[in-house]
Amino acid sequence: MNTTLNPNVYKNQIIDIQKRKYNKEFTKVINRITVLAVVLTFLLIFAPVATDIYIHAANYEGQYGVSDEEALGAEANNRALPLIFVDGILDNVLKPTVEILTGKEGSEFGAIHKAIMELDLNSSFSNAHTVLKTIAAFWVLITATTHMIQSIGQGQNATECVYKFFIEFSVTAMFIIQAENIMTALTQLGQLIASAFGEEALNYTANVTSEEILTTITGKDDGGVFWFVQAICAFFIPWVVSVFAGCIAKLAAIQILLEIAIRKMFAPLAVADIYKEGLRSPGVRYMKKYFACILRLSVCVFICLMIADSISAMFNTTLESGASIGQCFDYLFGLLTVEISAGLLMFKAGEFANDAVGV
Amino acid sequence: MPLIQKKNKEKIINRLSVLAIALAFCFIFAPFFRIEAYYYQDEDLNMRDSTDNSIVATISPGGGYVDVNTGEAWDNPDAPKPLAETMGDEILQGVLNDTTDLLTGNSTGPLAAVYTAAIEQDVTNTFSTVYMILKNVGAMWCLGIAISHIFTNLERGLDPMECTYKALTEIAIAGIFIMYLGKMMGKITEIGTLINSTIGTAANTLSTELTGEKLLELITGETKGDILWEFKAVIMLILPWVITKTMKILANFVAVQILFEVAIRKMFAPLAVADIYQEGMRSPGARYFKKFLACLLRLGLSIFICIIAGDVLQLVYSLPATDAGTFFGMIFAVISVELACITLMFKTSQFANDVTGVN
């Protein structure tokens, strides 16, 4: 019997096809409902935020040790999200980066600086550090002995050669033993310069408030849901760019701090040949490079200072004398250009520091 | 329902969804469409130019506005330019004139503040406390080098008195450099800015008969229209406009980085000149001076590139644009020249270093 001609089988196949079609349609409808639900949830979440922002501000304050009760009562809790966006645009690069670079007391970013800079090699990595020191001492012994044998071979006075051997060995050994202290002294010197710059940068206050910028662009500094959505749309991209610029700057800062820790760790090996060529020896060059590395912190803080100075000059007169919306946007994008350029320039800070120290 | 009809229905639904999203977008951004207005109303209802805040038209007693320069009545001053016209103006204006203005210090935009902060103000005076710390570290470093040279020379068997004289001379010369460094760097900056401003005088403002209005007529057949016409015009111009804006951002990045570099090198000079006595013109200190000059020359080179590219663009603009096709061909030629010019600006450090003889 030919099954393809069986009307029941044919009917079943049609039902199957229809079922699959209905399933597809059903999935489509579900997908659309899901998207709608997500949009509605988004609106529901942000609608109360439009009139009375408190979650973000409370968390922000909480990070700095303010209790929730204090934070909830603080004026900052009533800041609208667009205002927080504008605050971020003004501060995202400057303050966190300077805090990392200078290790400001009581700040979460300053803690990163402290964690790396106050690393005690003798306790944290005592075994590895001792191994490095031993290798360095061994290396000095070999080099000094080789020099002594060479000098004796060249016909120099044997007693003089032995004296020279002892001087070479003791001078270098002193550097190896004291390497960490020398590095710490150089670090403190570098930090002194960086914190002097940092103090000026952290004392910077913009000549314009976030409320003024928001009012210029949106017409008011608070409003209903539609104003809120418009304001968020207006400031979202600049805010994202400023967060991005801030990340670049923080990345550069953390790289410098890690480089300092690495150079500090391997210093005993580098100073093993410091006696040989005096100021031109690889050991001194290593120390200069280490100082240049610390100086990079100062260069980066100075770049932040230049950002602050430029922003200050940028907003100095224009907004006070009544800027148009277009002008205000121009200034915001000018500000972002400065922030990103400065963030990228921080990766070049090593070049400037090396030139300054002469390595 | 037949499959074809169903597909058509889906297509219609999709198009309606896109239209709904576009309308929502327009609704959100509608107030910001006024950004394109070159003029804005101040508190006294006078019309001001948004670029320099000057009054361009005053409100007349009988209503309407009167142009302050010509005394003629304005037809409809409240009507902002169509967004497409502003975009056209910006595409035609390009990026070169703005970049030249920024690098020569003639800019009136927000980034003029960067030129003021980096070149016009003396950073060594502004941050004098930190500069003094750097000078002290430089002096200390110079002293350390001199003492180390005394020991090296004594070890070589030189006369102790001679060694002391040499060290004193070394300290004195390096000391003079450190003391008068601010003035020396100031003079080098003056020489650099003189070169740059002299090159800058050769800059010509791009002149073309094409205006945003004519351009709209070329590509759409009309100079003004309803919202659909504006959408059509905006969509036609969006690509060249986005490219122009991106190039502007890139050009600003280069300019801001060069300006910041000048300030950084000026600030950290005291550390670099500490060993200037050591090897004369080959010393790291002398090299630092040359690099500083090279950095200033980068400004001049960038201005020069902009001027040459501007002359090329003038030739392109002199070609007749009779229809949309020739216009877009012309615009993409302009964009190519500008892009080449900006990528070349990134390489100016190489040229400047070659000119001053440092690598």
Side-chain angles (χ1 to χ4, degrees):
Chain A
M1 192 180 166
N2 190 351
T3 51
T4 51
L5 296 174
N6 186 334
N8 286 334
V9 174
Y10 184 64
K11 201 179 168 186
N12 285 341
Q13 280 179 345
I14 290 171
I15 291 168
D16 275 353
I17 292 167
Q18 278 180 343
K19 268 186 183 174
R20 264 182 257 150
K21 273 185 183 174
Y22 279 122
N23 279 341
K24 268 190 181 176
E25 289 297 318
F26 184 69
T27 319
K28 270 185 189 173
V29 172
I30 292 286
N31 283 344
R32 283 177 190 174
I33 289 172
T34 315
V35 171
L36 196 66
V38 170
V39 172
L40 281 174
T41 318
F42 182 83
L43 286 176
L44 277 174
I45 290 170
F46 279 94
V49 181
T51 49
D52 194 7
I53 291 285
Y54 61 92
I55 303 167
H56 194 290
N59 285 342
Y60 188 80
E61 291 294 324
Q63 285 169 357
Y64 292 92
V66 181
S67 69
D68 286 348
E69 290 76 17
E70 282 174 318
L72 286 167
E75 198 184 326
N77 296 336
N78 297 322
R79 285 181 89 69
L81 195 58
L83 271 178
I84 295 172
F85 275 3
V86 185
D87 290 344
I89 292 166
L90 291 174
D91 282 342
N92 269 344
V93 177
L94 187 69
K95 284 193 176 158
T97 315
V98 174
E99 281 173 7
I100 293 180
L101 292 165
T102 58
K104 196 197 165 205
E105 289 284 340
S107 68
E108 57 172 333
F109 293 112
I112 299 175
H113 177 100
K114 283 195 186 303
I116 300 174
M117 295 301 265
E118 289 175 5
L119 200 66
D120 186 2
L121 298 177
N122 278 330
S123 59
S124 307
F125 303 97
S126 59
N127 289 340
H129 203 228
T130 313
V131 169
L132 285 173
K133 274 186 173 178
T134 316
I135 293 172
F138 185 64
W139 179 243
V140 175
L141 203 66
I142 291 174
T143 355
T145 315
T146 318
H147 282 166
M148 186 178 69
I149 293 166
Q150 264 181 352
S151 304
I152 292 171
Q154 281 166 3
Q156 285 185 23
N157 183 285
T159 323
E160 200 183 317
C161 291
V162 174
Y163 279 140
K164 271 193 175 174
F165 164 79
F166 275 114
I167 292 169
E168 184 174 343
F169 184 70
S170 50
V171 167
T172 321
M174 190 196 75
F175 268 98
I176 292 170
I177 295 164
Q178 298 298 327
E180 205 186 331
N181 289 337
I182 295 169
M183 294 302 191
T184 310
L186 288 176
T187 312
Q188 282 169 355
L189 184 63
Q191 278 179 318
L192 173 78
I193 302 170
S195 56
F197 276 118
E199 216 168 290
E200 297 221 18
L202 288 172
N203 287 338
Y204 150 78
T205 44
N207 293 346
V208 61
T209 60
S210 304
E211 282 83 357
E212 281 173 330
I213 295 177
L214 197 63
T215 311
T216 314
I217 291 181
T218 64
K220 45 190 170 178
D221 65 356
D222 205 354
V225 176
F226 291 124
W227 168 84
F228 177 77
V229 175
Q230 281 175 356
I232 285 190
C233 290
F235 289 104
F236 185 68
I237 293 174
W239 178 76
V240 169
V241 176
S242 75
V243 170
F244 176 67
C247 287
I248 295 175
K250 278 177 228 160
L251 194 70
I254 292 170
Q255 269 193 358
I256 299 170
L257 292 173
L258 287 175
E259 193 177 328
I260 291 170
I262 293 166
R263 285 192 180 276
K264 203 173 184 180
M265 180 76 186
F266 290 89
L269 276 184
V271 294
D273 55 2
I274 203 158
Y275 182 78
K276 231 190 321 183
E277 291 175 71
L279 283 172
R280 281 184 192 172
S281 69
V284 171
R285 229 172 132 251
Y286 188 86
M287 284 205 270
K288 280 167 97 177
K289 275 210 167 182
Y290 179 75
F291 185 62
C293 194
I294 297 167
L295 203 64
R296 276 170 73 185
L297 294 175
S298 306
V299 174
C300 289
V301 183
F302 181 67
I303 291 171
C304 288
L305 203 54
M306 290 303 295
I307 299 177
D309 211 35
S310 304
I311 294 170
S312 195
M314 217 181 262
F315 286 113
N316 199 16
T317 50
T318 319
L319 287 182
E320 283 171 8
S321 60
S324 66
I325 299 168
Q327 210 170 357
C328 202
F329 265 117
D330 268 359
Y331 275 77
L332 278 179
F333 279 99
L335 168 76
L336 295 173
T337 307
V338 171
E339 286 183 347
I340 294 180
S341 306
L344 294 173
L345 207 60
M346 281 183 193
F347 284 97
K348 273 184 78 185
E351 191 188 317
F352 308 134
N354 284 348
D355 283 344
V357 177
V359 282
Chain B
M1 191 186 282
L3 199 64
I4 297 173
Q5 275 187 4
K6 229 178 183 182
K7 273 193 175 175
N8 283 340
K9 196 182 160 191
E10 272 182 14
K11 270 185 187 174
I12 290 166
I13 289 176
N14 284 342
R15 282 175 192 176
L16 281 175
S17 310
V18 171
L19 196 66
I21 292 170
L23 281 173
F25 182 84
C26 292
F27 172 73
I28 290 168
F29 279 94
F32 301 115
F33 271 24
R34 288 183 65 85
I35 292 164
E36 76 275 14
Y38 281 163
Y39 304 127
Y40 67 96
Q41 257 178 341
D42 65 9
E43 288 170 353
D44 302 319
L45 303 179
N46 293 320
M47 296 302 285
R48 286 175 183 269
D49 190 329
S50 62
T51 51
D52 57 6
N53 295 320
S54 60
I55 296 177
V56 287
T58 50
I59 193 155
S60 65
Y65 282 87
V66 177
D67 195 304
V68 286
N69 295 322
T70 60
E72 290 172 4
W74 282 16
D75 293 336
N76 184 9
D78 284 323
K81 275 188 181 183
L83 184 61
E85 193 181 327
T86 313
M87 286 165 75
D89 282 336
E90 286 185 6
I91 293 166
L92 291 170
Q93 191 193 353
V95 297
L96 298 178
N97 281 340
D98 283 352
T99 313
T100 312
D101 285 345
L102 178 59
L103 293 168
T104 47
N106 296 325
S107 172
T108 51
L111 290 177
V114 180
Y115 190 90
T116 314
I119 308 280
E120 281 178 1
Q121 77 162 346
D122 187 0
V123 282
T124 57
N125 264 336
T126 315
F127 311 112
S128 55
T129 322
V130 193
Y131 193 65
M132 276 309 291
I133 295 176
L134 287 173
K135 269 189 168 183
N136 286 334
V137 175
M140 199 181 75
W141 179 233
C142 159
L143 209 64
I145 294 172
I147 291 168
S148 136
H149 281 166
I150 292 181
F151 287 120
T152 317
N153 289 335
L154 283 175
E155 203 187 42
R156 280 180 192 159
L158 288 176
D159 180 54
M161 284 303 284
E162 200 182 321
C163 294
T164 317
Y165 281 139
K166 268 193 174 177
L168 286 177
T169 319
E170 188 173 340
I171 291 167
I173 290 176
I176 289 169
F177 267 95
I178 292 172
M179 274 197 291
Y180 291 100
L181 198 60
K183 284 184 182 172
M184 287 163 80
M185 296 304 249
K187 289 292 166 200
I188 297 176
T189 313
E190 276 175 26
I191 293 169
T193 43
L194 178 72
I195 296 171
N196 299 340
S197 56
T198 315
I199 297 172
T201 51
N204 299 311
T205 311
L206 277 175
S207 62
T208 171
E209 287 180 0
L210 272 177
T211 58
E213 210 171 1
K214 281 187 181 173
L215 185 151
L216 286 180
E217 202 174 356
L218 267 180
I219 60 170
T220 64
E222 293 165 33
T223 54
K224 273 180 184 150
D226 55 9
I227 187 116
L228 285 176
W229 169 85
E230 181 147 353
F231 264 121
K232 186 181 149 194
V234 165
I235 287 166
M236 286 176 93
L237 290 175
I238 194 85
L239 186 65
W241 182 79
V242 167
I243 296 174
T244 309
K245 278 282 173 193
T246 313
M247 287 194 306
K248 194 168 186 179
I249 291 170
L250 283 175
N252 285 343
F253 278 164
V254 186
V256 170
Q257 284 200 356
I258 300 174
L259 293 172
F260 272 5
E261 194 176 327
V262 173
I264 294 167
R265 289 196 180 273
K266 202 182 217 178
M267 194 69 191
F268 288 87
L271 294 178
V273 294
D275 55 1
I276 202 156
Y277 180 79
Q278 228 177 344
E279 291 175 68
M281 287 305 282
R282 281 186 190 174
S283 68
R287 217 168 139 256
Y288 192 87
F289 276 120
K290 282 162 125 182
K291 275 210 166 182
F292 180 65
L293 184 64
C295 190
L296 285 166
L297 274 184
R298 276 183 77 187
L299 290 175
L301 282 166
S302 304
I303 297 166
F304 183 67
I305 292 168
C306 286
I307 292 171
I308 293 180
D311 290 345
V312 175
L313 289 189
Q314 194 60 65
L315 285 173
V316 177
Y317 275 145
S318 62
L319 298 170
T322 48
D323 54 25
T326 50
F327 161 73
F328 279 110
M330 177 195 279
I331 286 303
F332 280 101
V334 168
I335 286 171
S336 309
V337 172
E338 287 180 337
L339 200 58
C341 160
I342 290 163
T343 42
L344 210 56
M345 275 164 70
F346 277 102
K347 280 183 76 184
T348 46
S349 65
Q350 195 184 327
F351 305 138
N353 285 347
D354 285 345
V355 170
T356 51
V358 279
N359 293 311

